[in-house]
Amino acid sequence: MLRNLIFGIFFITSFGFSQNFQITYQRSSHGKMIENQDPILVFASSDKVWITSQKMMQGVAKVPFEQIYVQPTKQSYVQVATLKHGKQVAMFDEEAIAKQNFEWTNETKKILGYECKKAKTIINSNTLELWVTNEAKIKAAPTVLGQSLGLVLEMVRNGNFAITATKVEKIKEFPKNGEVPNVSKTSIIDYRDALWKSRFTTISVFDKETIHFSDAAKSNDSILRFANGTVILRKVSLPKIEPGNTIFVELQQISTGDAYDRTGSVFMIPQGKPISFLDGMQKGMNQLPVYENGNGKKYQGVVATETYKPLVELMRFFTPFGIKQYNYLELKDKQWHEKVSFRQEISELHPALNNQEVWIGAFIGNYDKGGYQISLEITIHDGEGATIPSNQVIPLFNTTNVMEMGGQEYGTMFNHNKGLELTFTLEKPLKNARLRYITTGHGGWGAGDEFVPKTNTIYWNEQKVHAFTPWRMDCGSYRLYNPASGNFGNGLSSSDYSRSNWCPGTVTNPIFIELGDLPAGNHRVQVKIPQGAPEGSSFSSWNVSGVLIGE
């Protein structure tokens, strides 16, 4: 009887009261503690581990944030992310912990009085060193890594980033809110996708819309179509954008009929003047101010006037030869891509997009009834963006004839010594002024400006401020986007050839021309390009756009 009583007391003492721990971890880089961090908190007992943070416990953590709930005996865990508006997503994994492999070393050291041994592993080319103790008689870690080893008191990545325990405390009971919340679980890939997308704001502009050449192209309540369907337009409400935010525009495209490389543009229609480009789209291009360079042609809506602002080009892109639609055209060792994504940062244009309703359009010049399918979105990200600071965006010129099928003239004004020029007035001085300039040459075959390098020279108030030869020599890198590209007798494909600042399947980046501080008053801009002469029915042209930005 006495023996049974003693055994019962021993059993209760040894196994009935599981010890609970709270471990606080902080991060350091290159031996220095990272400032203003949110310390990691780990609550651990023999049968469960909860990885959270100090701010999460206080209810002030910034979303999205993640918490991990581990079952050490089953080597499984649940990861829960809290997103905006309190939405939660979760994933369950019962394989990852068991698959972890470590190499134990003979190195030891003491952390907070605990004797620790070092275990090493390599993940995605990163060397990770874990300092582990078994003296606490529990298994826990500040991440999923090392949960089966013991109590991980320090984790070092590549010798320079560390997560180190600063305090180990015994607590009376495991926190009640440390239990796995009742959240339906999803796959790992869906969980990661939801978490990633919650980190930024996405504005969907177009979703799988057709751009083609057809008399049947009609507008509806949300999307306007012009120029026989080669231009689509939608009014979009944009949120408040902070100067430090990073902004991207992304367009995904496949061919649904057209086999050729075509000029594309994503643009915004500026407002605030008596005439806008939308007037020309709705009432005819003759509604827009005309520019003449002396060659006898009239160019509609390409330069700023006192009553009109030209289009602000967000992104210039070029479709590849027949991606997706013509992927059945087989070549040995060629696996064609299924779609092309054009993605570009446009943070410097944030004053023109910030907290307002804007008309955003997409254009692909083509004469095909099948045409193209596109999706377009704008994403806004927190952080240290806007590397080119600006609070003023002033559109000056844009010769890309997005209303080509609506009668807008090609940019052939550079065949005359005058080229493209305009005079405009700055109402106030502009500091740190820059010209955001996009240029691409087009036309002809071997002798056209598409395939012949030509120098672009920009003059500001009669002074040459920049001259360069826009040219792309990497077009062969994009061969797998171009299944319908013609193959020639010399072993090259059409998509391989170098071009005047573009390749089939690429974005053309703007360049930024420094202008310094500009005083208020009149300023004159001139762009000169030695445009090639016509050859029969073939002619050369240049699509140039310029936006003045500054503070």
Side-chain angles (χ1 to χ4, degrees):
M1 182 75 177
L2 179 62
R3 180 181 178 183
N4 290 339
L5 179 62
I6 293 171
F7 178 78
I9 294 172
F10 173 79
F11 182 85
I12 292 173
T13 304
S14 302
F15 302 101
F17 297 102
S18 173
Q19 292 195 70
N20 301 295
F21 289 83
Q22 176 182 324
I23 308 102
T24 303
Y25 297 84
Q26 292 202 332
R27 306 169 188 86
S28 60
S29 180
H30 298 280
K32 295 183 179 180
M33 195 70 67
I34 297 173
E35 296 181 359
N36 302 317
Q37 62 176 288
D38 182 13
I40 299 170
L41 298 184
V42 174
F43 296 91
S45 68
S46 61
D47 62 344
K48 55 188 172 183
V49 174
W50 177 31
I51 305 171
T52 183
S53 80
Q54 191 174 86
K55 287 186 178 180
M56 291 176 198
M57 292 291 291
Q58 296 169 349
V60 294
K62 184 179 179 181
V63 293
F65 60 80
E66 294 181 276
Q67 300 182 92
I68 301 172
Y69 305 81
V70 183
Q71 290 184 289
T73 56
K74 297 182 179 179
Q75 294 196 19
S76 65
Y77 71 94
V78 176
Q79 195 156 328
V80 179
T82 301
L83 312 180
K84 292 179 180 179
H85 309 299
K87 179 182 177 182
Q88 289 186 313
V89 293
M91 54 161 273
F92 172 74
D93 191 298
E94 56 184 350
E95 298 180 356
I97 294 176
K99 289 181 178 179
Q100 295 172 6
N101 291 312
F102 298 91
E103 174 192 350
W104 288 98
T105 74
N106 293 323
E107 296 178 70
T108 63
K109 72 174 180 179
K110 281 196 173 184
I111 300 176
L112 299 177
Y114 292 92
E115 188 75 17
C116 298
K117 292 184 65 177
K118 186 168 78 171
K120 293 176 61 178
T121 189
I122 296 176
I123 299 176
N124 297 334
S125 301
N126 293 292
T127 298
L128 293 126
E129 300 171 335
L130 279 64
W131 290 94
V132 186
T133 183
N134 288 313
E135 293 180 356
K137 307 301 182 185
I138 58 166
K139 294 180 178 181
T143 71
V144 170
L145 189 66
Q147 289 287 342
S148 62
L149 300 180
L151 177 58
V152 178
L153 291 179
E154 186 171 67
M155 183 180 296
V156 183
R157 186 186 68 207
N158 298 329
N160 52 44
F161 176 81
I163 300 175
T164 307
T166 57
K167 188 185 298 183
V168 177
E169 303 170 271
K170 292 182 180 179
I171 55 177
K172 290 184 178 180
E173 58 181 5
F174 202 91
K176 293 180 180 179
N177 54 345
E179 303 296 331
V180 181
N182 185 21
V183 182
S184 56
K185 301 173 183 64
T186 186
S187 67
I188 293 176
I189 191 168
D190 286 340
Y191 172 87
R192 289 173 178 168
D193 186 64
L195 178 62
W196 173 65
K197 288 179 178 177
S198 73
R199 298 185 185 279
F200 52 89
T201 300
T202 300
I203 298 97
S204 177
V205 183
F206 301 116
D207 183 25
K208 296 181 179 178
E209 292 293 335
T210 297
I211 294 180
H212 61 163
F213 183 78
S214 172
D215 291 335
K218 303 295 181 185
S219 301
N220 57 36
D221 291 340
S222 62
I223 296 175
L224 305 182
R225 287 177 165 80
F226 300 101
N228 292 88
T230 58
V231 181
I232 57 177
L233 190 68
R234 181 169 175 241
K235 182 174 278 190
V236 178
S237 294
L238 296 171
K240 183 178 181 181
I241 303 173
E242 300 295 341
N245 290 164
T246 303
I247 312 169
F248 277 87
V249 59
E250 181 170 2
L251 184 144
Q252 295 186 345
Q253 174 255 313
I254 61 173
S255 168
T256 46
D258 196 12
Y260 286 93
D261 52 337
R262 306 289 190 182
T263 300
S265 181
V266 179
F267 58 87
M268 185 197 73
I269 299 179
Q271 305 294 311
K273 292 287 186 179
I275 305 171
S276 81
F277 198 87
L278 185 59
D279 294 321
M281 299 172 111
Q282 294 177 326
K283 303 173 185 177
M285 298 307 291
N286 59 356
Q287 300 290 314
L288 303 182
V290 168
Y291 172 74
E292 297 183 77
N293 76 335
N295 66 2
K297 292 187 177 181
K298 297 181 185 297
Y299 303 94
Q300 312 98 322
V302 297
V303 298
T305 70
E306 291 184 358
T307 60
Y308 169 79
K309 295 178 182 178
L311 297 176
V312 174
E313 187 166 35
L314 305 183
M315 180 173 68
R316 177 92 50 88
F317 65 95
F318 294 88
T319 70
F321 287 89
I323 190 169
K324 181 71 173 180
Q325 180 75 8
Y326 294 89
N327 282 13
Y328 63 83
L329 299 173
E330 295 183 2
L331 289 178
K332 187 176 176 61
D333 298 328
K334 295 287 188 292
Q335 185 67 44
W336 310 120
H337 292 304
E338 292 291 314
K339 65 181 178 182
V340 60
S341 292
F342 305 101
R343 179 172 167 84
Q344 188 175 59
E345 183 181 353
I346 57 169
S347 303
E348 70 279 2
L349 299 177
H350 83 272
L353 304 169
N354 180 29
N355 198 26
Q356 57 186 305
E357 283 193 332
V358 295
W359 286 103
I360 292 178
F363 154 75
I364 299 176
N366 72 99
Y367 292 91
D368 188 88
K369 188 174 182 179
Y372 300 88
Q373 183 188 90
I374 69 143
S375 294
L376 175 66
E377 66 182 25
I378 295 171
T379 58
I380 303 168
H381 308 254
D382 292 340
E384 301 300 322
T387 54
I388 301 178
S390 62
N391 56 29
Q392 293 291 316
V393 173
I394 304 169
L396 297 180
F397 55 86
N398 189 340
T399 70
T400 305
N401 56 330
V402 301
M403 286 292 287
E404 173 187 347
M405 288 70 180
Q408 188 180 15
E409 185 60 61
Y410 285 82
T412 57
M413 67 281 292
F414 301 99
N415 65 354
H416 191 278
N417 186 56
K418 182 179 177 181
L420 174 73
E421 67 176 25
L422 71 146
T423 299
F424 71 99
T425 302
L426 277 179
E427 300 295 335
K428 297 179 180 179
L430 193 66
K431 291 184 178 181
N432 300 318
R434 300 166 177 87
L435 180 67
R436 181 184 189 264
Y437 180 70
I438 303 175
T439 179
T440 51
H442 305 269
W445 285 88
D449 283 8
E450 178 175 330
F451 300 103
V452 179
K454 296 291 180 72
T455 300
N456 286 219
T457 306
I458 293 90
Y459 296 85
W460 195 272
N461 295 332
E462 314 301 333
Q463 300 295 316
K464 182 169 73 173
V465 293
H466 196 76
F468 76 113
T469 302
W471 194 245
R472 287 287 292 265
M473 301 175 70
D474 60 336
C475 295
S477 301
Y478 306 95
R479 182 68 182 95
L480 295 181
Y481 291 95
N482 291 275
S485 181
N487 296 297
F488 301 129
N490 62 359
L492 290 175
S493 168
S494 178
S495 63
D496 291 332
Y497 280 93
S498 301
R499 288 171 168 82
S500 288
N501 214 28
W502 63 277
C503 301
T506 68
V507 166
T508 294
N509 291 320
I511 67 165
F512 295 88
I513 301 169
E514 301 287 339
L515 300 172
D517 295 342
L518 300 178
N522 291 338
H523 295 268
R524 186 168 180 263
V525 190
Q526 189 174 24
V527 180
K528 288 189 175 184
I529 305 168
Q531 179 182 302
E535 295 183 67
S537 60
S538 297
F539 60 90
S540 295
S541 63
W542 283 82
N543 293 329
V544 300
S545 68
V547 174
L548 183 63
I549 61 175
E551 303 172 78

